[in-house]
Amino acid sequence: RKEVEQDPGPFNVPEGATVAFNCTYSNSASQSFFWYRQDCRKEPKLLMSVYSSGNEDGRFTAQLNRASQYISLLIRDSKLSDSATYLCVVTTGNQFYFGTGTSLTVIP
Amino acid sequence: ETGVTQTPRHLVMGMTNKKSLKCEQHLGHNAMYWYKQSAKKPLELMFVYSLEERVENNSVPSRFSPECPNSSHLFLHLHTLQPEDSALYLCASSQVAGRAYGYTFGSGTRLTVV
């Protein structure tokens, strides 16, 4: 079983839409959780950390559900510039585990 | 210059060639990493160095040989590669091995093996 699983998409949504991505992880001992954003042919960059209490950064909201072992990312009022691949990242011990990423295209 | 810098940005090499990828970080971090990113696959951790010592080697074939001469520089020496080794190779660094704080990626080297 993979450490981290994501729906690869692609998600094609109109500008202004709300879109949500989910990611599941297999190890209940995982400690830290993140969402990274990767633009085409660029390196991944940290978008936000994910906390059990949920956290928000502008139009982006991240949630962690430890009981069900999944994390989510909600993007409200999508912008064209949100088009990218969103990677779920989980740390277990000293290891970082990356999901395959979910591709998002926001359409005018 | 700040951040994590990788050179070259693009590399095309034959299966009999020997080449090296270079990574340099100016963040004062103690840990550096090599990742491989192939199409449709998750990022694969290849090597982890902490304070210039290799602490992780995830069953990487010996045709990939890392070198960390100091905490700011990391190399990946390549020889007799296969076409399936074509991928984006990403370097990253962090303050402490395995810890998320300050985890930063370089812009990668896109390698094509012909």
Side-chain angles (χ1 to χ4, degrees):
Chain A
R1 188 180 169 189
K2 291 180 185 176
E3 292 284 341
V4 179
E5 299 215 46
Q6 283 185 258
D7 178 351
F11 284 65
N12 299 314
V13 303
E15 239 179 320
T18 296
V19 61
F21 309 135
N22 285 333
C23 167
T24 58
Y25 60 95
S26 61
N27 193 332
S28 59
S30 297
Q31 311 107 302
S32 305
F33 310 88
F34 308 90
W35 284 102
Y36 274 70
R37 171 190 169 133
Q38 187 171 21
D39 291 296
C40 187
R41 306 183 82 83
K42 298 271 184 80
E43 73 275 22
K45 291 187 177 176
L46 179 64
L47 178 66
M48 59 198 302
S49 303
V50 188
Y51 305 114
S52 296
S53 53
N55 47 301
E56 194 171 303
D57 182 2
R59 298 180 293 108
F60 298 82
T61 301
Q63 295 273 359
L64 166 64
N65 185 317
R66 284 193 182 271
S68 302
Q69 293 181 207
Y70 79 82
I71 68 174
S72 64
L73 178 68
L74 182 79
I75 306 175
R76 290 181 299 277
D77 187 23
S78 301
K79 310 289 184 195
L80 296 177
S81 57
D82 294 334
S83 298
T85 297
Y86 291 84
L87 300 166
C88 165
V89 181
V90 173
T91 67
T92 307
N94 288 329
Q95 292 268 25
F96 276 63
Y97 295 97
F98 287 82
T100 52
T102 299
S103 173
L104 170 67
T105 302
V106 180
I107 304 163
Chain B
E1 192 172 352
T2 58
V4 179
T5 305
Q6 285 186 247
T7 54
R9 291 295 302 275
H10 301 274
L11 178 61
V12 179
M13 61 186 287
M15 288 190 282
T16 58
N17 289 160
K18 287 186 181 181
K19 296 285 183 183
S20 296
L21 310 186
K22 180 182 175 183
C23 177
E24 191 172 350
Q25 58 97 0
H26 303 275
L27 301 167
H29 288 170
N30 291 323
M32 296 185 77
Y33 312 80
W34 279 116
Y35 284 88
K36 175 183 178 182
Q37 188 175 36
S38 305
K40 310 290 185 192
K41 288 187 177 181
L43 276 162
E44 300 170 50
L45 179 64
M46 300 175 74
F47 301 104
V48 180
Y49 275 83
S50 177
L51 295 171
E52 300 143 51
E53 282 192 32
R54 190 189 311 181
V55 296
E56 196 85 37
N57 176 352
N58 281 348
S59 304
V60 180
S62 59
R63 57 186 184 270
F64 295 91
S65 175
E67 179 191 359
C68 188
N70 55 63
S71 58
S72 300
H73 294 86
L74 185 65
F75 295 89
L76 187 63
H77 303 300
L78 317 171
H79 64 97
T80 60
L81 294 192
Q82 305 297 312
E84 60 264 29
D85 296 323
S86 299
L88 179 68
Y89 288 85
L90 289 159
C91 174
S93 71
S94 66
Q95 283 200 339
V96 177
R99 297 293 176 88
Y101 185 74
Y103 210 89
T104 305
F105 283 92
S107 50
T109 294
R110 190 159 294 279
L111 173 68
T112 304
V113 181
V114 296

